[in-house]
Amino acid sequence: MPTLKRILVPFDYSTSSEAALLLGADLARAYDARLLVRHFVEIEIHTLGDYSVIKGDPLAHETERLRTRVRDVLATADASPPADEIEATWGSRCCASSRPSSRPAST
């Protein structure tokens, strides 16, 4: 039987991610593993000269919102163990997409 130490559940507030969270909680309980929940937040970054500027503290607000929702979902389903780590992480659209273009190449 494989040994699982951590169960990572990406969470986006959808019903599918809630179902994944409940499955992750079941797996964590069955394997005595840690349950890690992550949510990706797109943050708008502005530049001011050579400096990057982020308005406010969007991660703190989103992490608290995420913790509340995850705890509510787990409590409603009477699922245990509680998530060991619940965290929002960030990114921005500053970089070009790595997806291939859908347009045919010109010759």
Side-chain angles (χ1 to χ4, degrees):
M1 182 181 229
T3 302
L4 301 176
K5 295 180 182 181
R6 291 176 211 87
I7 309 295
L8 174 63
V9 178
F11 195 82
D12 66 0
Y13 300 96
S14 68
T15 53
S16 297
S17 67
E18 289 179 4
L21 175 61
L22 295 174
L23 178 59
D26 287 344
L27 286 171
R29 185 175 46 253
Y31 287 94
D32 195 27
R34 294 178 65 207
L35 180 61
L36 313 172
V37 181
R38 295 291 188 266
H39 175 66
F40 182 81
V41 179
E42 186 177 312
I43 295 178
E44 191 173 340
I45 299 175
H46 304 277
T47 56
L48 184 61
D50 292 336
Y51 300 97
S52 297
V53 179
I54 299 172
K55 184 179 179 182
D57 191 358
L59 282 184
H61 176 270
E62 186 58 36
T63 296
E64 189 54 40
R65 177 178 168 240
L66 179 64
R67 285 182 179 146
T68 300
R69 184 64 191 142
V70 166
R71 289 180 183 137
D72 288 350
V73 169
L74 292 175
T76 301
D78 198 24
S80 63
D84 292 305
E85 292 181 28
I86 304 171
E87 184 176 277
T89 56
W90 68 279
S92 70
R93 290 189 181 197
C94 67
C95 305
S97 171
S98 61
R99 288 186 227 159
S101 173
S102 60
R103 293 186 300 176
S106 59
T107 55

